[in-house]
Amino acid sequence: MAKRPFVVDPALTAIAIGYTNPADTLIADEVLPRADVGQEEFAWTEYPLADGFSFPETLVGRRGKVNELEVSGLERTASVEDHGLDAPVVNSDIEAARRAREAGRSLYDPEARAAASLTGAVQLAREVRVSSLVFNSATYAATRRTVLAGTSQFSDFANSDPIAVIEAALEGTLVFRPNTLVMGKAVWSVLRRHPVLVNAIRGNLTDKGLITRAEFAELFEIRKLLIGESYVNTAKKGQDAVLARCWGKHIAALYINPAATTQEGVTFGLTAQLGTKIAGRIEDPDIGLEGGYRIRSGERIKELVVAKDVGYFVQNAVA
């Protein structure tokens, strides 16, 4: 039997699965929760929400025919996509690190370090993809999006009314009221000190100060407030780093059902996932004088918006 070129390593895979970023910086897994699928190509069903709320005639005469209810659904197909990265590690570095560990001089493992770095980069790429999907006006129905400009933007403390705008978004979806608000850090930095919100939460005692995330969620009666704080380098390779927020100056009001699958359950969106994150090594004789390994980390997923009518988009919430 031919030797597999890519050997999955349980230790490196454990790093890939357990790798975490600073708390609350990456939110993609909460915005589009993961749902397992059994194969590369999978089917998912889009149900008209009206079917669940229709009320046909149910009365049946003694010898009459029972009325029928046609349950419709549109089956769609999609395929998971492979996302992964490689990092070369030369044998001389691996051996030098091993000797240092055995001598008690170091704990450094270049292969483990490479796996952790790769996993972080793959996660950041996913964060950018999810942000680009969720913070895109084309993702939403035409009647479930609005654009703020000038004095209506929340950065204008004197004229804007964030309570009216956010309440309209929460009441603007079809049937399912959003239970999650997603916003970039730039928006939250403004909203947490907006005098209208401070005044409402402090009981008309003051319009100065800062509100907490918990107070904001309680005010609008939502289950979760997700704030994207992560940065991404937008500069081309070889140029000086230019850091920008992954999540822009917008707000998305979404109904998220973490228990939804590709076959049942209404939710704004989800991430189809085949298997788990994996990491391993590929031998490469062309790395350095003594050869080495390419450490690889990746996953097989597909981000999907499955019920756009349970989402509402507020574009350019702040200037």
Side-chain angles (χ1 to χ4, degrees):
M1 181 180 295
K3 182 179 179 181
R4 293 178 61 191
F6 176 63
V7 179
V8 176
D9 185 279
L12 297 182
T13 294
I15 294 173
I17 294 175
Y19 186 86
T20 58
N21 283 270
D24 299 325
T25 60
L26 300 184
I27 60 175
D29 281 353
E30 294 183 89
V31 177
L32 297 182
R34 295 171 183 256
D36 292 330
V37 293
Q39 57 188 21
E40 291 184 14
E41 185 171 308
F42 59 93
W44 58 280
T45 305
E46 181 179 359
Y47 295 104
L49 294 183
D51 282 0
F53 297 88
S54 59
F55 53 99
E57 178 59 63
T58 58
L59 180 65
V60 182
R62 188 172 68 86
R63 299 184 63 182
K65 183 178 179 181
V66 178
N67 286 331
E68 295 180 348
L69 174 63
E70 182 178 351
V71 180
S72 60
L74 182 62
E75 184 174 86
R76 300 186 182 275
T77 59
S79 300
V80 294
E81 298 171 339
D82 294 352
H83 294 275
L85 291 169
D86 279 356
V89 180
V90 298
N91 271 326
S92 57
D93 288 348
I94 295 173
E95 287 303 308
R98 180 186 61 79
R99 290 192 297 268
R101 292 195 304 273
E102 291 175 350
R105 300 193 309 270
S106 172
L107 297 176
Y108 181 70
D109 183 337
E111 293 182 287
R113 178 72 181 100
S117 297
L118 292 171
T119 301
V122 171
Q123 285 184 319
L124 184 57
R126 165 166 160 76
E127 192 82 1
V128 173
R129 290 197 309 274
V130 173
S131 172
S132 298
L133 180 62
V134 174
F135 278 2
N136 184 341
S137 62
T139 298
Y140 300 82
T143 57
R144 307 190 205 289
R145 61 193 187 209
T146 189
V147 182
L148 303 186
T151 58
S152 66
Q153 291 178 298
F154 302 150
S155 41
D156 186 334
F157 284 179
N159 297 291
S160 64
D161 187 352
I163 291 181
V165 173
I166 294 173
E167 273 296 302
L170 293 172
E171 299 300 326
T173 57
L174 181 62
V175 179
F176 291 82
R177 184 182 188 271
N179 56 14
T180 303
L181 282 173
V182 182
M183 64 183 69
K185 185 62 165 60
V187 179
W188 174 241
S189 294
V190 171
L191 283 181
R192 69 191 304 251
R193 55 190 176 88
H194 197 290
V196 169
L197 293 175
V198 174
N199 186 275
I201 289 172
R202 299 288 178 257
N204 297 321
L205 297 177
T206 180
D207 59 6
K208 299 183 183 300
L210 301 173
I211 62 174
T212 68
R213 300 185 188 197
E215 288 172 331
F216 182 91
E218 182 179 3
L219 176 67
F220 289 104
E221 297 182 337
I222 56 170
R223 180 178 61 85
K224 188 172 290 188
L225 169 63
L226 298 177
I227 299 170
E229 300 185 37
S230 54
Y231 285 95
V232 62
N233 180 16
T234 60
K236 294 182 179 179
K237 187 175 181 179
Q239 295 182 342
D240 292 341
V242 178
L243 298 183
R245 296 280 190 183
C246 292
W247 297 84
K249 300 179 178 181
H250 318 296
I251 298 175
L254 312 174
Y255 176 76
I256 300 296
N257 178 8
T261 70
T262 55
Q263 295 300 310
E264 60 179 297
V266 174
T267 188
F268 172 78
L270 52 78
T271 300
Q273 173 180 275
L274 178 61
T276 64
K277 298 176 183 178
I278 60 171
R281 57 176 61 81
I282 304 171
E283 187 173 0
D284 189 340
D286 296 324
I287 297 177
L289 181 63
E290 299 175 321
Y293 291 91
R294 289 191 172 276
I295 306 302
R296 178 171 297 174
S297 179
E299 57 186 349
R300 313 185 76 185
I301 58 176
K302 177 67 175 180
E303 292 93 4
L304 296 169
V305 171
V306 298
K308 65 181 181 179
D309 283 312
V310 297
Y312 195 103
F313 186 50
V314 180
Q315 188 173 351
N316 299 333
V318 297

